[in-house]
Short mmCIF file of all heavy atoms in Angstrom, two decimals:
data_model
loop_
_atom_site.label_atom_id
_atom_site.label_comp_id
_atom_site.label_asym_id
_atom_site.label_seq_id
_atom_site.Cartn_x
_atom_site.Cartn_y
_atom_site.Cartn_z
N MET A 1 0.84 -1.21 0.00
CA MET A 1 0.00 0.00 0.00
C MET A 1 0.87 1.25 0.00
O MET A 1 1.81 1.36 0.77
CB MET A 1 -0.87 0.02 1.25
CG MET A 1 -1.91 -1.11 1.22
SD MET A 1 -2.82 -1.19 2.75
CE MET A 1 -4.13 -0.04 2.36
N THR A 2 0.55 2.15 -0.86
CA THR A 2 1.32 3.39 -0.91
C THR A 2 0.45 4.57 -0.52
O THR A 2 -0.67 4.72 -1.01
CB THR A 2 1.88 3.62 -2.31
OG1 THR A 2 0.83 3.45 -3.25
CG2 THR A 2 2.99 2.64 -2.62
N ALA A 3 0.96 5.37 0.34
CA ALA A 3 0.20 6.55 0.78
C ALA A 3 0.35 7.67 -0.24
O ALA A 3 1.47 8.06 -0.57
CB ALA A 3 0.69 7.01 2.14
N PRO A 4 -0.74 8.18 -0.75
CA PRO A 4 -0.69 9.25 -1.76
C PRO A 4 -0.22 10.57 -1.16
O PRO A 4 0.39 11.38 -1.84
CB PRO A 4 -2.13 9.36 -2.26
CG PRO A 4 -2.96 8.78 -1.15
CD PRO A 4 -2.10 7.77 -0.43
N SER A 5 -0.49 10.77 0.10
CA SER A 5 -0.08 12.04 0.72
C SER A 5 1.01 11.78 1.76
O SER A 5 0.78 11.12 2.75
CB SER A 5 -1.27 12.73 1.37
OG SER A 5 -1.95 11.81 2.19
N PRO A 6 2.20 12.28 1.49
CA PRO A 6 3.34 12.04 2.38
C PRO A 6 3.35 12.95 3.61
O PRO A 6 4.24 12.89 4.41
CB PRO A 6 4.55 12.34 1.49
CG PRO A 6 4.03 13.35 0.52
CD PRO A 6 2.56 13.06 0.33
N SER A 7 2.34 13.78 3.72
CA SER A 7 2.32 14.72 4.83
C SER A 7 2.05 13.99 6.14
O SER A 7 1.07 13.28 6.27
CB SER A 7 1.25 15.78 4.60
OG SER A 7 0.01 15.16 4.36
N ALA A 8 2.93 14.18 7.07
CA ALA A 8 2.76 13.53 8.36
C ALA A 8 1.68 14.25 9.17
O ALA A 8 1.59 15.47 9.12
CB ALA A 8 4.08 13.56 9.11
N PRO A 9 0.91 13.50 9.91
CA PRO A 9 -0.17 14.11 10.70
C PRO A 9 0.36 14.93 11.85
O PRO A 9 -0.36 15.73 12.43
CB PRO A 9 -0.96 12.89 11.21
CG PRO A 9 0.02 11.76 11.16
CD PRO A 9 0.95 12.07 10.02
N SER A 10 1.63 14.74 12.16
CA SER A 10 2.19 15.48 13.29
C SER A 10 2.84 16.77 12.85
O SER A 10 3.38 17.51 13.65
CB SER A 10 3.21 14.61 14.03
OG SER A 10 4.20 14.20 13.12
N ALA A 11 2.79 17.05 11.55
CA ALA A 11 3.40 18.27 11.04
C ALA A 11 2.50 19.46 11.27
O ALA A 11 1.94 20.03 10.35
CB ALA A 11 3.71 18.11 9.56
N LYS A 12 2.36 19.78 12.52
CA LYS A 12 1.51 20.92 12.86
C LYS A 12 2.28 21.95 13.66
O LYS A 12 3.26 21.63 14.31
CB LYS A 12 0.31 20.44 13.67
CG LYS A 12 -0.64 19.60 12.85
CD LYS A 12 -1.81 19.19 13.72
CE LYS A 12 -2.79 18.35 12.91
NZ LYS A 12 -3.91 17.89 13.75
N CYS A 13 1.77 23.14 13.62
CA CYS A 13 2.37 24.21 14.39
C CYS A 13 2.23 23.91 15.88
O CYS A 13 1.12 23.64 16.34
CB CYS A 13 1.67 25.52 14.04
SG CYS A 13 2.16 26.88 15.10
N PRO A 14 3.33 23.94 16.62
CA PRO A 14 3.27 23.62 18.05
C PRO A 14 2.55 24.70 18.85
O PRO A 14 2.24 24.50 20.01
CB PRO A 14 4.75 23.52 18.45
CG PRO A 14 5.47 24.33 17.45
CD PRO A 14 4.68 24.24 16.17
N ILE A 15 2.32 25.83 18.23
CA ILE A 15 1.67 26.92 18.94
C ILE A 15 0.16 26.84 18.83
O ILE A 15 -0.55 26.85 19.82
CB ILE A 15 2.14 28.28 18.40
CG1 ILE A 15 3.65 28.40 18.54
CG2 ILE A 15 1.45 29.42 19.15
CD1 ILE A 15 4.15 28.38 19.96
N CYS A 16 -0.33 26.74 17.63
CA CYS A 16 -1.77 26.77 17.44
C CYS A 16 -2.32 25.49 16.83
O CYS A 16 -3.52 25.27 16.84
CB CYS A 16 -2.16 27.97 16.59
SG CYS A 16 -1.61 27.82 14.89
N GLY A 17 -1.45 24.64 16.32
CA GLY A 17 -1.91 23.36 15.81
C GLY A 17 -2.31 23.38 14.34
O GLY A 17 -2.79 22.38 13.81
N ARG A 18 -2.09 24.50 13.70
CA ARG A 18 -2.40 24.56 12.27
C ARG A 18 -1.27 23.92 11.46
O ARG A 18 -0.17 23.76 11.97
CB ARG A 18 -2.55 26.03 11.85
CG ARG A 18 -3.80 26.66 12.43
CD ARG A 18 -3.88 28.09 11.97
NE ARG A 18 -5.00 28.78 12.60
CZ ARG A 18 -5.25 30.08 12.44
NH1 ARG A 18 -4.44 30.81 11.71
NH2 ARG A 18 -6.27 30.64 13.03
N PRO A 19 -1.56 23.59 10.23
CA PRO A 19 -0.52 23.03 9.36
C PRO A 19 0.67 23.98 9.24
O PRO A 19 0.50 25.19 9.17
CB PRO A 19 -1.22 22.88 8.01
CG PRO A 19 -2.66 22.76 8.35
CD PRO A 19 -2.86 23.63 9.57
N ARG A 20 1.84 23.40 9.22
CA ARG A 20 3.04 24.22 9.17
C ARG A 20 3.20 24.90 7.83
O ARG A 20 2.75 24.42 6.80
CB ARG A 20 4.26 23.34 9.40
CG ARG A 20 4.35 22.81 10.80
CD ARG A 20 5.56 21.92 10.89
NE ARG A 20 5.70 21.37 12.25
CZ ARG A 20 6.65 20.51 12.58
NH1 ARG A 20 7.50 20.09 11.68
NH2 ARG A 20 6.73 20.06 13.80
N GLU A 21 3.93 26.00 7.90
CA GLU A 21 4.28 26.71 6.68
C GLU A 21 5.79 26.60 6.52
O GLU A 21 6.54 26.83 7.46
CB GLU A 21 3.86 28.17 6.80
CG GLU A 21 3.98 28.93 5.50
CD GLU A 21 2.99 28.42 4.45
OE1 GLU A 21 1.83 28.22 4.80
OE2 GLU A 21 3.42 28.23 3.31
N ALA A 22 6.23 26.24 5.33
CA ALA A 22 7.65 26.01 5.11
C ALA A 22 8.48 27.24 5.48
O ALA A 22 9.59 27.14 5.97
CB ALA A 22 7.89 25.64 3.65
N LEU A 23 7.90 28.39 5.24
CA LEU A 23 8.62 29.64 5.50
C LEU A 23 8.90 29.83 6.99
O LEU A 23 9.91 30.38 7.38
CB LEU A 23 7.79 30.82 5.00
CG LEU A 23 8.17 31.35 3.62
CD1 LEU A 23 7.22 32.46 3.21
CD2 LEU A 23 9.61 31.86 3.61
N TYR A 24 7.98 29.36 7.80
CA TYR A 24 8.08 29.64 9.22
C TYR A 24 8.19 28.37 10.05
O TYR A 24 7.92 28.38 11.24
CB TYR A 24 6.85 30.43 9.68
CG TYR A 24 6.63 31.67 8.90
CD1 TYR A 24 5.60 31.75 7.97
CD2 TYR A 24 7.45 32.77 9.07
CE1 TYR A 24 5.39 32.89 7.23
CE2 TYR A 24 7.25 33.91 8.35
CZ TYR A 24 6.22 33.97 7.42
OH TYR A 24 6.02 35.09 6.70
N ARG A 25 8.56 27.28 9.39
CA ARG A 25 8.63 26.03 10.13
C ARG A 25 9.53 26.14 11.34
O ARG A 25 10.55 26.84 11.28
CB ARG A 25 9.09 24.92 9.19
CG ARG A 25 10.50 25.13 8.67
CD ARG A 25 10.86 24.05 7.71
NE ARG A 25 12.17 24.33 7.13
CZ ARG A 25 12.74 23.54 6.22
NH1 ARG A 25 12.12 22.48 5.79
NH2 ARG A 25 13.91 23.84 5.75
N PRO A 26 9.21 25.45 12.39
CA PRO A 26 8.10 24.49 12.44
C PRO A 26 6.76 25.14 12.78
O PRO A 26 5.86 24.46 13.25
CB PRO A 26 8.54 23.55 13.57
CG PRO A 26 9.25 24.46 14.52
CD PRO A 26 9.92 25.51 13.66
N PHE A 27 6.65 26.41 12.52
CA PHE A 27 5.40 27.09 12.85
C PHE A 27 4.58 27.35 11.60
O PHE A 27 5.02 27.09 10.49
CB PHE A 27 5.70 28.40 13.57
CG PHE A 27 6.63 28.20 14.75
CD1 PHE A 27 7.96 28.53 14.64
CD2 PHE A 27 6.16 27.65 15.92
CE1 PHE A 27 8.83 28.33 15.71
CE2 PHE A 27 7.01 27.44 16.98
CZ PHE A 27 8.34 27.78 16.87
N CYS A 28 3.40 27.91 11.81
CA CYS A 28 2.51 28.11 10.68
C CYS A 28 2.59 29.54 10.20
O CYS A 28 2.19 29.86 9.10
CB CYS A 28 1.08 27.77 11.09
SG CYS A 28 0.35 29.00 12.19
N SER A 29 3.10 30.40 11.03
CA SER A 29 3.13 31.81 10.65
C SER A 29 4.19 32.54 11.46
O SER A 29 4.72 32.03 12.45
CB SER A 29 1.77 32.45 10.91
OG SER A 29 1.48 32.40 12.29
N ARG A 30 4.47 33.73 11.03
CA ARG A 30 5.47 34.53 11.73
C ARG A 30 4.99 34.86 13.15
O ARG A 30 5.77 34.99 14.08
CB ARG A 30 5.68 35.82 10.95
CG ARG A 30 6.87 36.60 11.44
CD ARG A 30 7.05 37.81 10.55
NE ARG A 30 8.23 38.57 10.91
CZ ARG A 30 8.64 39.65 10.28
NH1 ARG A 30 7.96 40.05 9.23
NH2 ARG A 30 9.71 40.29 10.65
N ARG A 31 3.70 34.99 13.27
CA ARG A 31 3.13 35.32 14.56
C ARG A 31 3.41 34.21 15.57
O ARG A 31 3.81 34.46 16.70
CB ARG A 31 1.63 35.52 14.40
CG ARG A 31 0.94 35.85 15.69
CD ARG A 31 -0.52 36.17 15.43
NE ARG A 31 -1.26 36.23 16.66
CZ ARG A 31 -1.77 35.16 17.26
NH1 ARG A 31 -1.63 33.99 16.73
NH2 ARG A 31 -2.43 35.30 18.39
N CYS A 32 3.19 32.99 15.13
CA CYS A 32 3.42 31.86 16.02
C CYS A 32 4.90 31.73 16.33
O CYS A 32 5.29 31.39 17.44
CB CYS A 32 2.86 30.59 15.41
SG CYS A 32 1.07 30.48 15.57
N ALA A 33 5.73 31.98 15.35
CA ALA A 33 7.16 31.92 15.58
C ALA A 33 7.57 32.96 16.63
O ALA A 33 8.37 32.70 17.51
CB ALA A 33 7.91 32.17 14.28
N ASN A 34 6.98 34.14 16.53
CA ASN A 34 7.28 35.18 17.49
C ASN A 34 6.77 34.81 18.87
O ASN A 34 7.42 35.06 19.88
CB ASN A 34 6.64 36.50 17.05
CG ASN A 34 7.43 37.14 15.92
OD1 ASN A 34 8.62 36.88 15.77
ND2 ASN A 34 6.78 37.96 15.13
N LEU A 35 5.60 34.21 18.90
CA LEU A 35 5.04 33.79 20.18
C LEU A 35 5.96 32.80 20.86
O LEU A 35 6.21 32.89 22.06
CB LEU A 35 3.67 33.16 19.95
CG LEU A 35 2.52 34.14 19.81
CD1 LEU A 35 1.24 33.39 19.48
CD2 LEU A 35 2.33 34.91 21.11
N ASP A 36 6.45 31.86 20.09
CA ASP A 36 7.33 30.85 20.66
C ASP A 36 8.62 31.50 21.13
O ASP A 36 9.15 31.16 22.19
CB ASP A 36 7.62 29.78 19.61
CG ASP A 36 8.42 28.65 20.20
OD1 ASP A 36 7.81 27.81 20.89
OD2 ASP A 36 9.65 28.61 19.99
N LEU A 37 9.10 32.44 20.36
CA LEU A 37 10.33 33.12 20.73
C LEU A 37 10.13 33.88 22.04
O LEU A 37 10.98 33.88 22.92
CB LEU A 37 10.73 34.09 19.61
CG LEU A 37 12.00 34.89 19.90
CD1 LEU A 37 13.20 33.96 20.04
CD2 LEU A 37 12.26 35.91 18.80
N GLN A 38 9.00 34.54 22.14
CA GLN A 38 8.71 35.28 23.36
C GLN A 38 8.62 34.35 24.55
O GLN A 38 9.10 34.65 25.64
CB GLN A 38 7.41 36.05 23.20
CG GLN A 38 7.57 37.26 22.29
CD GLN A 38 6.25 37.99 22.09
OE1 GLN A 38 5.40 38.00 22.96
NE2 GLN A 38 6.07 38.58 20.93
N ARG A 39 8.01 33.22 24.33
CA ARG A 39 7.91 32.25 25.42
C ARG A 39 9.28 31.80 25.85
O ARG A 39 9.58 31.67 27.03
CB ARG A 39 7.12 31.03 24.93
CG ARG A 39 5.65 31.30 24.83
CD ARG A 39 4.95 30.00 24.50
NE ARG A 39 3.54 30.21 24.27
CZ ARG A 39 2.69 29.22 24.01
NH1 ARG A 39 3.15 27.99 23.93
NH2 ARG A 39 1.42 29.46 23.83
N TRP A 40 10.09 31.57 24.86
CA TRP A 40 11.44 31.09 25.14
C TRP A 40 12.23 32.16 25.90
O TRP A 40 12.97 31.87 26.83
CB TRP A 40 12.12 30.75 23.82
CG TRP A 40 13.44 30.06 24.01
CD1 TRP A 40 13.65 28.74 24.21
CD2 TRP A 40 14.72 30.69 24.05
NE1 TRP A 40 14.99 28.49 24.36
CE2 TRP A 40 15.68 29.67 24.27
CE3 TRP A 40 15.18 32.01 23.91
CZ2 TRP A 40 17.04 29.94 24.35
CZ3 TRP A 40 16.55 32.26 23.99
CH2 TRP A 40 17.45 31.23 24.20
N LEU A 41 12.05 33.40 25.48
CA LEU A 41 12.81 34.49 26.10
C LEU A 41 12.33 34.76 27.51
O LEU A 41 13.13 35.06 28.40
CB LEU A 41 12.66 35.76 25.25
CG LEU A 41 13.44 35.74 23.93
CD1 LEU A 41 13.14 37.00 23.14
CD2 LEU A 41 14.94 35.63 24.19
N THR A 42 11.07 34.69 27.71
CA THR A 42 10.51 35.03 29.02
C THR A 42 10.47 33.82 29.94
O THR A 42 10.17 33.97 31.11
CB THR A 42 9.09 35.59 28.86
OG1 THR A 42 8.32 34.66 28.11
CG2 THR A 42 9.12 36.92 28.14
N GLY A 43 10.79 32.67 29.40
CA GLY A 43 10.83 31.48 30.23
C GLY A 43 9.50 31.19 30.86
O GLY A 43 8.50 31.04 30.17
N ARG A 44 9.48 31.12 32.16
CA ARG A 44 8.24 30.76 32.84
C ARG A 44 7.33 31.95 33.03
O ARG A 44 6.22 31.82 33.52
CB ARG A 44 8.56 30.15 34.19
CG ARG A 44 9.28 31.12 35.09
CD ARG A 44 9.87 30.40 36.30
NE ARG A 44 10.78 31.29 37.01
CZ ARG A 44 11.64 30.86 37.91
NH1 ARG A 44 11.72 29.59 38.18
NH2 ARG A 44 12.44 31.69 38.52
N TYR A 45 7.84 33.11 32.67
CA TYR A 45 7.00 34.29 32.84
C TYR A 45 5.84 34.26 31.88
O TYR A 45 5.97 33.86 30.73
CB TYR A 45 7.81 35.57 32.64
CG TYR A 45 8.76 35.80 33.76
CD1 TYR A 45 10.12 35.56 33.60
CD2 TYR A 45 8.29 36.25 35.00
CE1 TYR A 45 11.01 35.73 34.64
CE2 TYR A 45 9.18 36.43 36.06
CZ TYR A 45 10.54 36.17 35.87
OH TYR A 45 11.40 36.34 36.89
N ARG A 46 4.77 34.75 32.37
CA ARG A 46 3.54 34.68 31.61
C ARG A 46 3.36 35.94 30.77
O ARG A 46 3.52 37.04 31.26
CB ARG A 46 2.38 34.55 32.59
CG ARG A 46 1.11 34.14 31.95
CD ARG A 46 0.09 33.89 33.06
NE ARG A 46 -1.23 34.03 32.52
CZ ARG A 46 -2.32 33.85 33.24
NH1 ARG A 46 -2.21 33.54 34.51
NH2 ARG A 46 -3.49 33.99 32.73
N ILE A 47 3.01 35.74 29.51
CA ILE A 47 2.78 36.88 28.63
C ILE A 47 1.29 37.11 28.47
O ILE A 47 0.53 36.18 28.26
CB ILE A 47 3.39 36.63 27.24
CG1 ILE A 47 4.83 36.12 27.39
CG2 ILE A 47 3.35 37.91 26.42
CD1 ILE A 47 5.41 35.70 26.07
N ASP A 48 0.92 38.34 28.60
CA ASP A 48 -0.50 38.64 28.45
C ASP A 48 -0.82 38.91 26.99
O ASP A 48 -0.58 39.99 26.47
CB ASP A 48 -0.85 39.87 29.29
CG ASP A 48 -1.01 39.47 30.75
OD1 ASP A 48 -1.62 38.41 31.00
OD2 ASP A 48 -0.54 40.20 31.62
N GLN A 49 -1.33 37.91 26.37
CA GLN A 49 -1.73 38.06 24.98
C GLN A 49 -3.24 37.92 24.91
O GLN A 49 -3.81 37.06 25.55
CB GLN A 49 -1.10 36.95 24.13
CG GLN A 49 0.41 36.95 24.23
CD GLN A 49 1.04 37.75 23.11
OE1 GLN A 49 0.33 38.26 22.24
NE2 GLN A 49 2.33 37.85 23.11
N ASP A 50 -3.83 38.76 24.13
CA ASP A 50 -5.28 38.62 23.99
C ASP A 50 -5.58 37.55 22.94
O ASP A 50 -6.15 37.80 21.90
CB ASP A 50 -5.94 39.95 23.61
CG ASP A 50 -5.18 40.64 22.48
OD1 ASP A 50 -4.06 41.08 22.75
OD2 ASP A 50 -5.72 40.73 21.39
N ASP A 51 -5.12 36.37 23.30
CA ASP A 51 -5.32 35.24 22.40
C ASP A 51 -5.74 34.04 23.24
O ASP A 51 -4.97 33.56 24.06
CB ASP A 51 -4.00 34.96 21.67
CG ASP A 51 -4.19 33.86 20.65
OD1 ASP A 51 -5.29 33.29 20.57
OD2 ASP A 51 -3.22 33.55 19.95
N PRO A 52 -6.93 33.58 23.05
CA PRO A 52 -7.42 32.43 23.82
C PRO A 52 -6.77 31.14 23.38
O PRO A 52 -7.44 30.17 23.06
CB PRO A 52 -8.92 32.44 23.52
CG PRO A 52 -9.03 33.05 22.17
CD PRO A 52 -7.90 34.04 22.07
N ASP A 53 -5.48 31.16 23.37
CA ASP A 53 -4.75 30.01 22.89
C ASP A 53 -4.53 29.02 24.03
O ASP A 53 -3.70 29.22 24.90
CB ASP A 53 -3.40 30.48 22.33
CG ASP A 53 -2.67 29.34 21.66
OD1 ASP A 53 -2.01 28.56 22.37
OD2 ASP A 53 -2.77 29.21 20.44
N ALA A 54 -5.29 27.98 24.01
CA ALA A 54 -5.17 26.97 25.07
C ALA A 54 -4.33 25.82 24.57
O ALA A 54 -4.84 24.83 24.09
CB ALA A 54 -6.55 26.50 25.47
N ASP A 55 -3.07 26.02 24.66
CA ASP A 55 -2.18 24.97 24.18
C ASP A 55 -1.83 24.02 25.30
O ASP A 55 -1.87 24.35 26.47
CB ASP A 55 -0.92 25.60 23.58
CG ASP A 55 -0.17 26.36 24.64
OD1 ASP A 55 -0.84 26.99 25.50
OD2 ASP A 55 1.07 26.35 24.63
N GLU A 56 -1.46 22.82 24.89
CA GLU A 56 -1.08 21.82 25.86
C GLU A 56 0.39 21.50 25.71
O GLU A 56 0.79 20.88 24.73
CB GLU A 56 -1.91 20.55 25.66
CG GLU A 56 -3.38 20.83 25.86
CD GLU A 56 -4.20 19.62 25.45
OE1 GLU A 56 -4.43 18.77 26.29
OE2 GLU A 56 -4.56 19.54 24.28
N ASP A 57 1.13 21.96 26.65
CA ASP A 57 2.56 21.71 26.58
C ASP A 57 2.88 20.33 27.16
O ASP A 57 2.64 20.07 28.31
CB ASP A 57 3.33 22.78 27.37
CG ASP A 57 3.47 24.05 26.56
OD1 ASP A 57 3.49 23.96 25.32
OD2 ASP A 57 3.56 25.11 27.16
N ALA A 58 3.39 19.50 26.32
CA ALA A 58 3.73 18.16 26.77
C ALA A 58 5.16 18.14 27.27
O ALA A 58 6.02 17.48 26.73
CB ALA A 58 3.55 17.17 25.63
N GLU A 59 5.38 18.93 28.27
CA GLU A 59 6.73 19.00 28.80
C GLU A 59 6.80 18.36 30.17
O GLU A 59 6.34 18.90 31.10
CB GLU A 59 7.18 20.45 28.87
CG GLU A 59 8.45 20.62 28.13
CD GLU A 59 8.91 22.08 28.08
OE1 GLU A 59 8.18 22.98 28.47
OE2 GLU A 59 10.01 22.28 27.61
ZN1 LIG B 101 0.60 28.52 14.47
#
């Protein structure tokens, strides 16, 4: 059996879960890339974003 679509189901943006964009991989957009960067920079500090992003960090 050959799979017609080689896209892996796990190829999603770790921030919002949307399909990744090659330009911003492993994220889907520049916004998500920035969000991740901010998270990384601020560490455990919480950023107040008006975004109801309920992500699940499997850490
Ligand atoms: Zn995203």
